[in-house]
């Protein structure tokens, strides 16, 4: 009689792995997760370094020189609303997105809030999703939580930036909830590929069929009954869909070209005197394709995707970083192009209500331009853009003071943003009753209020 001491040990007979875990183990998601989740996804595009609230979506052109937007303004589709002059494409789509002008990041520290912060209890926000919904989509094995760095779409770019925080931290939500990272030449990419021939795969199918004839102990019988479907899903997954989701060559040239930001800012047009020159280059090369990849993953059932292009928004005008006017020439055009491509693409695919895009950084910038033409760290106000997710769009939520230094209306804080993300992903009241749910979720996060104007 063959006895099984460890379910994962048995499942490795199949020899199929994804992200370092056995595929059957990934696919064995909790059945009760379907009662918790809404079936929607969230993409959080993190503008690392801290973008200016003024040059993005609150230009303050009536303020004095040195405060008002250094890039001018552009009128939007919304009456009386303008954006910074770098965003004409988003301005034309303003009815399909919402800007929050009263968002308070809380401090002026370089870190990776709101993705990993004290309000996320030290874990990636996607780890909350993976912990409660399961580490993979139960229908096809897609990882529930993914983080995308530039190398995920362009191996010529540099490694991910971890000096200010680890995007893979899971806090109290457990190591299994960590985001899957497909970037770089490491083991993750190898695990995404089928490492055996189809003939050998068929041999392993036959081996598993023979194992089905083994007599199991009564204590294992219930477990074995659930393995048949799980094992079949593992084969179907590796052969038919999840790995393709990570492959941009599966997209048509027209779609890839629509997203591609590389032609907008060529390396030779970026001043090499800045120590962050390589980051600027990598941002243009990868930003659009990263959002396309994120769309592909969500389209196939990923619940939470973190996207970042490394440390490019810290526009001090110091030895590392360009000033705000020059920096927006490098950053603004690619962001405008990538976001507009994404918004139009998901609408054309009928996914606008299914995918929520959140765009923010860890802080904003000072109201007054410094002597070098840069803006320094500022925690009292920062830019926040949201699009899709079935939420109310075509609005500006809140107002800032005349110099864009702080909210003039009720502030929107990180807890409100997290609550909005959770209410998009989950039937939040049900989270309180999940056996074994972390208290940070069941007791604390479920008590936070989402941004009210986005709902109802």
């Amino acid at each position: 009689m063959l006895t099984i001491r460890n379910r994962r040990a048995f499942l490795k007979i199949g020899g199929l792995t994804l992200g370092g875990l056995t595929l059957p183990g990934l696919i064995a998601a909790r059945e009760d997760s379907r009662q918790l989740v809404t079936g929607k996804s969230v993409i959080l595009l993190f503008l690392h370094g801290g973008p200016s609230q003024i040059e993005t979506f609150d230009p303050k052109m009536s303020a004095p020189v040195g405060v008002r937007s250094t890039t001018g303004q552009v009128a939007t589709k919304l009456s009386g609303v303008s954006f910074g002059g770098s965003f004409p494409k988003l301005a034309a789509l303003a009815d399909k997105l919402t800007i929050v002008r009263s968002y308070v990041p809380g401090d002026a520290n370089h870190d990776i809030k709101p993705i990993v912060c004290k309000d996320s209890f030290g874990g990636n926000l996607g780890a909350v999703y993976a912990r409660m919904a399961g580490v993979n989509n139960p229908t096809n094995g897609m990882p529930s939580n993914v983080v995308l760095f530039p190398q995920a779409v362009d191996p010529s770019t540099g490694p991910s930036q971890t000096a200010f925080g680890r995007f893979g931290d899971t806090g109290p939500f457990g190591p299994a909830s960590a985001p899957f990272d497909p970037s770089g030449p490491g083991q993750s990419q190898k695990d995404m590929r089928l490492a055996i021939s189809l003939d050998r795969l068929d041999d392993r199918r036959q081996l598993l069929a023979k194992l089905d004839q083994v007599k199991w102990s009564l204590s294992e019988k219930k477990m074995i009954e659930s393995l048949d479907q799980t094992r079949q899903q593992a084969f179907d997954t590796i052969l038919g869909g999840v790995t393709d989701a990570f492959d941009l060559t599966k997209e048509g040239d027209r779609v890839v070209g629509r997203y591609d930001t590389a032609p907008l800012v060529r390396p030779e047009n970026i001043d090499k005197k800045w120590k962050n020159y390589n980051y600027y280059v990598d941002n243009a090369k990868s930003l659009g394709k990263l959002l396309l990849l994120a769309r592909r993953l969500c389209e196939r059932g990923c619940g939470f995707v973190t996207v970042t292009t490394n440390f490019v928004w810290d526009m001090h005008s110091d030895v590392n970083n360009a000033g705000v006017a020059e920096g927006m020439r490098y950053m603004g055009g690619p962001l405008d192009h990538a976001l507009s491509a994404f918004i139009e693409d998901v609408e054309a695919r009928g996914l606008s209500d299914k995918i929520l895009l959140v765009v923010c950084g860890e802080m904003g910038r000072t109201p007054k331009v410094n002597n070098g033409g840069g803006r320094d760290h500022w925690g009292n106000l920062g830019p926040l853009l949201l699009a899709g997710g079935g939420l109310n769009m075509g609005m500006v939520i809140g107002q800032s003071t005349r110099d864009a230094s702080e909210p003039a209306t009720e502030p929107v804080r990180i807890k409100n943003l997290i609550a909005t993300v959770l209410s998009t992903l989950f039937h939040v009241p049900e989270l309180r009753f999940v056996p074994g749910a972390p208290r940070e979720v069941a007791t604390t996060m479920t008590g936070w209020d989402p941004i009210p104007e986005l709902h109802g």
Side-chain angles (χ1 to χ4, degrees):
M1 177 182 295
L2 176 64
T3 61
I4 297 184
R5 297 181 180 180
N6 181 292
R7 185 168 182 263
R8 280 184 63 187
F10 167 71
L11 292 174
K12 290 190 75 171
I13 291 173
L16 302 174
T17 62
L18 178 65
L21 298 175
T22 61
L23 258 178
L26 279 171
I27 291 171
R30 290 170 292 183
E31 290 298 321
D32 60 0
S33 70
R34 299 187 184 188
Q35 300 174 10
L36 296 176
V37 299
T38 62
K40 297 181 180 183
S41 303
V42 171
I43 298 169
L44 201 158
L45 173 58
F46 183 60
L47 307 181
H48 203 179
S52 165
Q53 66 274 20
I54 297 172
E55 275 74 24
T56 52
F57 309 118
D58 197 2
K60 299 295 182 187
M61 294 309 293
S62 62
V65 173
V67 173
R68 68 190 185 208
S69 171
T70 62
T71 59
Q73 67 178 349
V74 57
T76 75
K77 199 169 186 178
L78 303 179
S79 177
V81 176
S82 61
F83 291 168
S86 302
F87 300 99
K89 294 178 181 178
L90 285 179
L93 297 172
D95 59 324
K96 303 181 188 303
L97 54 88
T98 287
I99 300 297
V100 180
R101 287 181 171 171
S102 55
Y103 175 61
V104 179
D107 62 53
N109 298 330
H110 274 315
D111 47 33
I112 55 174
K113 61 179 179 293
I115 298 170
V116 179
C117 60
K118 64 180 181 180
D119 289 324
S120 72
F121 298 97
N124 182 296
L125 286 178
V128 178
Y129 183 79
R131 173 65 177 80
M132 301 306 296
V135 298
N136 73 292
N137 185 301
T139 63
N140 64 3
M142 172 63 68
S144 294
N145 182 19
V146 174
V147 60
L148 299 178
F149 300 110
Q151 286 186 348
V153 295
D154 188 334
S156 73
T157 58
S160 59
Q161 171 64 254
T162 60
F164 301 106
R166 296 185 298 270
F167 290 88
D169 281 353
T170 59
F173 309 116
S177 65
F180 177 73
D181 175 9
S183 62
Q187 191 60 38
S188 292
Q189 281 196 345
K190 294 178 181 178
D191 286 343
M192 290 298 295
R193 297 191 294 269
L194 185 63
I196 58 176
S197 69
L198 292 180
D199 288 342
R200 290 188 63 201
L201 180 62
D202 189 62
D203 289 343
R204 293 193 180 193
R205 282 183 187 269
Q206 294 179 33
L207 171 61
L208 289 168
K210 290 179 180 179
L211 286 172
D212 283 340
Q213 301 171 16
V214 176
K215 293 183 179 181
W216 308 94
S217 67
L218 290 176
S219 63
E220 294 156 351
K221 189 172 183 181
K222 278 191 175 181
M223 180 182 71
I224 298 307
E225 288 173 353
S226 70
L227 293 183
D228 289 337
Q229 182 179 6
T230 297
R231 189 178 59 226
Q232 184 61 46
Q233 285 178 324
F235 283 110
D236 292 344
T237 295
I238 200 70
L239 291 176
V242 170
T243 54
D244 282 355
F246 289 84
D247 185 358
L248 289 187
T249 66
K250 303 296 183 181
E251 287 284 348
D253 291 342
R254 184 188 63 81
V255 175
V256 175
R258 173 66 182 92
Y259 275 88
D260 191 10
T261 48
L264 302 178
V265 181
R266 304 303 304 175
E268 59 269 22
N269 295 326
I270 300 173
D271 196 328
K272 292 185 178 180
K273 74 178 181 181
W274 307 115
K275 289 187 177 180
N276 282 345
Y277 167 83
N278 288 330
Y279 291 162
Y280 295 159
V281 172
D282 288 353
N283 178 80
K285 289 166 67 174
S286 64
L287 177 59
K289 291 180 180 179
L290 286 169
L291 279 179
L292 173 55
L293 179 54
R295 185 269 286 163
R296 286 180 60 83
L297 300 183
C298 292
E299 195 173 28
R300 290 158 176 79
C302 183
F304 193 96
V305 183
T306 302
V307 177
T308 186
T309 64
N310 289 331
F311 198 73
V312 293
W313 288 91
D314 194 27
M315 298 179 188
H316 285 290
S317 188
D318 55 16
V319 295
N320 296 314
N321 311 278
V324 68
E326 180 182 350
M328 290 303 294
R329 292 202 302 271
Y330 305 152
M331 300 300 115
L335 184 63
D336 185 48
H337 182 89
L339 292 180
S340 61
F342 178 89
I343 291 169
E344 291 176 337
D345 187 28
V346 296
E347 181 178 51
R349 292 172 177 270
L351 297 172
S352 294
D353 289 345
K354 293 290 187 181
I355 302 175
L356 172 63
L357 174 66
V358 179
V359 184
C360 63
E362 72 268 35
M363 59 182 163
R365 311 304 295 188
T366 51
K368 190 165 180 59
V369 174
N370 64 32
N371 291 336
R375 295 188 191 270
D376 300 313
H377 298 184
W378 194 254
N380 294 340
L381 201 69
L384 173 61
L385 178 150
L386 303 100
L391 304 181
N392 296 329
M393 295 290 114
M395 297 186 296
V396 172
I397 296 175
Q399 294 296 328
S400 63
T401 53
R402 293 180 62 185
D403 62 353
S405 61
E406 60 186 10
T409 56
E410 184 71 18
V412 171
R413 303 188 185 277
I414 288 178
K415 289 179 180 178
N416 305 122
L417 177 57
I418 291 176
T420 293
V421 167
L422 291 182
S423 66
T424 300
L425 295 171
F426 295 107
H427 302 293
V428 171
E430 298 298 323
L431 294 173
R432 300 186 178 101
F433 306 106
V434 176
R439 61 175 177 79
E440 292 85 357
V441 177
T443 302
T444 305
M445 289 181 168
T446 56
W448 295 343
D449 294 325
I451 303 169
E453 294 89 345
L454 292 172
H455 302 267

